[in-house]
Amino acid sequence: MSNWESYVRKVVPYTPGEQPKEKDIIKLNTNENPYPPAPGVKEVYRAFETDRLRLYPDPSCGELVEAIAQFYGVKKEEVFVGVGSDDVLAMIFLTFFNSKKPILFPDITYSFYDVWADMLRIPYEVQPLKSDFTIDVTDYEKENGGIIFPNPNAPTGVLLETDKIEQILQKNKDVIVVVDEAYIDFGGKSALPLIQKYDNLLVVQTFSKSRSMAGIRIGYAMGNEKLIRYLSDVKYSFNSYTMNQLTLALGTAAIRDRAYFEETTTKVVQTRERVKKELKELGFSFADSMSNFIFATHESVTAKELFEALKKEHIFVRYFAKERIDNYLRISIGTDEQMDVFLSFLRKYLKKK
Ligand code: PMP
């Protein structure tokens, strides 16, 4: 018998949310946006010349990087793009978390962080959130090899105020601090202005949520030019052509439409606030969410039971069978009509209890 298996890099992979095949479902389980991408995206898609596909894409993703830089009022040298923020985050782990000291992140957080750390053999130490699911910034004052957290946090939806982020930065000038802002556009305040003050801060965002383009896979990091150069060096040593021609063209069209972005994110926020009120009336409680989902627990019926009852009705929400959060449902915000179906089912179901 050969022994090749002992040399395999064995990993326990991340488990993505379900993508059910049925058409007639209400999908509130992976925090996608219920509204279509900006109208310009369709126009560019229709006009796209397939002959362009003969050529390799621009490895620097120039046009898209320029459009993102313009949207945020930063330099193009301060922007890095990748295949969804998962790709950008993986590159960040590979590039910057290279110390023998543990990196720090919350115990309840995006469940990809420990997967990347394990895969890349990066030591880490989780910092428990307080019982109200907020971050205690003093937990991030110990020696470490880097810090990462989502803001708002996932799956809790809880926002950390900018002055608290700055407190973390003040105590961590010699390591890279990453703020994963996948959900920042639903009412939160971005830490982006702080990149001008802290050369060790990376702010990561995505087109998957607020720009309705989870299927195209675009994410980006913004930070000091030197950080972006280091990140690009690793990318070019891994795969130069991460972004394809069509994605670059569609992404550029999407980010140029600020009005549509504002209109659709506002609609999601308005629906979220209404759903919060109705869930409270139905006996749910939750930390205040500033994202496009609500992480809620019910006073008498278990999350697991509700998850299964909803699924039977073809309404998909997310349930995590994990310590501290196994009695919570993460409910993505859909259209008003979708949320009405969801709420009226709950109303009926809970009345029978
Ligand atoms: N960060 C957080 C906190 C997320 O919840 C997600 C979505 N699963 C991502 C990053 C990755 O999103 P994407 O790769 O679609 O940009």
Side-chain angles (χ1 to χ4, degrees), residues 14 84-86 89 110 113 150 154 180 182-183 206 208-209 217-218:
Y14 169 75
S85 52
D86 281 342
L89 291 165
Y110 185 31
Y113 297 160
D180 174 356
Y183 303 103
T206 178
S208 298
K209 322 291 178 184
R217 314 304 300 130
I218 301 174

Side-chain angles (χ1 to χ4, degrees), residues 51-59 239-245 248:
D51 189 48
R52 281 175 64 185
L53 299 179
R54 289 184 307 102
L55 307 178
Y56 282 106
D58 168 11
N239 175 8
S240 326
Y241 303 113
T242 50
M243 312 293 288
N244 66 66
Q245 296 258 25
L248 292 171

Side-chain angles (χ1 to χ4, degrees), residues 14 30-31 83-87 89 109-110 112-113 116 150-154 180-183 204-209 213-214 217-219 293 318 330:
Y14 169 75
T30 48
N31 299 339
V83 187
S85 52
D86 281 342
D87 177 46
L89 291 165
T109 196
Y110 185 31
F112 222 140
Y113 297 160
W116 286 313
N151 197 40
N153 197 5
D180 174 356
E181 294 189 347
Y183 303 103
V204 177
Q205 296 195 5
T206 178
F207 279 44
S208 298
K209 322 291 178 184
M213 290 176 87
R217 314 304 300 130
I218 301 174
F293 54 84
R318 189 94 190 252
R330 194 194 65 189

Side-chain angles (χ1 to χ4, degrees), residues 82-97:
V83 187
S85 52
D86 281 342
D87 177 46
V88 174
L89 291 165
M91 287 290 139
I92 288 172
F93 271 62
L94 188 56
T95 310
F96 299 111
F97 295 160

